[in-house]
Amino acid sequence: MHFVYNIQGEESVKSFLQRHSYSKTTISAIKNNGALLVNGCQVTVRAMMHKGDQLKVQLPQEIPSENITPFDAPLNILFEDDFLIIVAKPAHQNIAPSKEHLHESLLEQVYAYTWQNNEVVPHIVTRLDRNTSGIVIFTKHGFIHHLMSQLTIDKRYLCICHGNVQDSNIIEAPIARHPASIIQRQVSPDGKYARTSYTSLKQKNGYSLCEVKLMTGRTHQIRVHFQHIGHSLVGDDLYGSSRKDIPRQLLQCYQVAFAHPITHEQINIVDSDMSMMTIFDML
């Protein structure tokens, strides 16, 4: 992967790269296994550039981790270009390998696809719990991942919860690790600030379908906040709402929106999976 820039004034290569959000880590990697060329000649970061010069930045080829095993299975790709790949994850699949689920993660599935096509190592931008379905964003290089980390990503979820939730509201409650668990979280004054907004879409038979927007990104935030207000997600056995006929929390990331880190185009992705609506109508 490479980028070409037309220089508008006198500036060092190092200053230009820093101004264009190249991190110290990325610049160091380019020095070791990439290339910087001004008007076709290889240079160091100390080189001075002038108006009319052309800078080509060749990003280093990334090496996949030995812990990642390609999982060759069909992907539900919602968007792809040279920099990003956005997919829909089913429930009951890990985003990345874990001690409990060593392989067949979504990361390994995307890796099998990107490596076979272009020898690209994917990087996870957004994460979902194993039993949450929906949209997950990956980048095709660590530099693009760095750029994405500086953006605001608007993530929207659908959930089905217990009780008749009315209108719209905002939940502001700090979240901390539960003292008795390495997985579970709880609302606690000692926790990190967390803010969730929601809108009730439908109510039926003691259940509500809600659209949820995260303003912060804490682990299990939606699940913990809905438990906190007395409306646990249906099927969420970790937060007090298990059902034998529903083997996972009814939560889906159905929409993401952000400005593309390279083209600056507004990207708006919607998952066409309507399972939350279908399940709600069956309750």
Side-chain angles (χ1 to χ4, degrees):
M1 185 179 294
H2 69 270
F3 297 95
V4 176
Y5 304 94
N6 295 314
I7 305 306
Q8 302 301 315
E10 187 167 324
E11 186 173 10
S12 71
V13 172
K14 182 177 181 180
S15 172
F16 181 90
L17 293 177
Q18 290 173 337
R19 195 162 55 80
H20 284 77
S21 299
Y22 286 81
S23 67
K24 290 182 180 179
T25 301
T26 301
I27 293 173
S28 178
I30 292 169
K31 289 180 185 178
N32 294 329
N33 189 27
L36 299 168
L37 298 100
V38 174
N39 302 328
C41 298
Q42 191 155 344
V43 299
T44 70
V45 294
R46 294 187 298 273
M48 291 299 299
M49 300 182 294
H50 306 277
K51 184 177 181 179
D53 284 347
Q54 187 178 78
L55 171 65
K56 180 178 179 180
V57 179
Q58 181 67 52
L59 295 176
Q61 173 71 49
E62 295 184 308
I63 301 172
S65 167
E66 294 179 356
N67 298 322
I68 302 298
T69 301
F71 174 41
D72 193 3
L75 270 174
N76 185 358
I77 299 174
L78 306 177
F79 175 89
E80 184 181 10
D81 64 9
D82 291 339
F83 313 102
L84 304 169
I85 178 167
I86 303 176
V87 303
K89 183 186 87 68
H92 312 297
Q93 183 183 26
N94 270 32
I95 288 285
S98 69
K99 290 182 180 179
E100 294 78 18
H101 304 92
L102 292 175
H103 296 298
E104 298 189 358
S105 67
L106 185 65
L107 174 63
E108 293 170 312
Q109 190 176 353
V110 173
Y111 166 56
Y113 171 82
T114 59
W115 190 260
Q116 288 171 3
N117 291 348
N118 294 301
E119 295 191 349
V120 165
V121 178
H123 297 258
I124 304 167
V125 177
T126 59
R127 294 176 180 268
L128 297 176
D129 298 333
R130 174 177 172 82
N131 292 335
T132 297
S133 62
I135 301 171
V136 181
I137 304 171
F138 293 84
T139 66
K140 294 185 175 182
H141 197 280
F143 172 58
I144 310 301
H145 184 272
H146 170 68
L147 296 180
M148 286 294 294
S149 71
Q150 299 177 322
L151 299 178
T152 298
I153 303 174
D154 185 339
K155 293 176 284 187
R156 304 295 176 105
Y157 296 76
L158 291 174
C159 74
I160 300 174
C161 64
H162 289 276
N164 293 314
V165 178
Q166 300 295 324
D167 303 322
S168 302
N169 212 333
I170 292 176
I171 309 167
E172 282 187 294
I175 294 176
R177 191 186 298 272
H178 195 288
S181 172
I182 61 171
I183 299 174
Q184 192 171 355
R185 267 56 175 177
Q186 65 178 11
V187 168
S188 167
D190 299 325
K192 294 181 179 179
Y193 175 76
R195 180 180 170 96
T196 305
S197 81
Y198 65 86
T199 299
S200 181
L201 303 177
K202 293 181 180 180
Q203 301 87 38
K204 175 185 175 184
N205 299 332
Y207 301 101
S208 297
L209 175 69
C210 298
E211 182 189 59
V212 185
K213 179 181 178 180
L214 291 178
M215 279 91 153
T216 55
R218 308 303 176 204
T219 300
H220 298 176
Q221 180 172 319
I222 295 172
R223 300 163 66 187
V224 173
H225 271 177
F226 270 73
Q227 181 197 44
H228 178 64
I229 63 171
H231 296 288
S232 294
L233 303 193
V234 175
D236 193 345
D237 58 357
L238 189 60
Y239 295 101
S241 181
S242 62
R243 276 184 56 155
K244 291 182 179 180
D245 60 331
I246 300 176
R248 59 109 168 183
Q249 66 269 7
L250 295 182
L251 178 62
Q252 174 196 15
C253 179
Y254 85 98
Q255 183 176 0
V256 298
F258 57 93
H260 194 288
I262 301 300
T263 67
H264 309 297
E265 172 190 3
Q266 186 64 26
I267 303 296
N268 187 48
I269 306 297
V270 178
D271 186 357
S272 60
D273 177 14
M274 301 300 290
S275 59
M276 284 298 127
M277 300 288 190
T278 303
I279 293 170
F280 183 78
D281 289 338
M282 294 173 62
L283 288 174

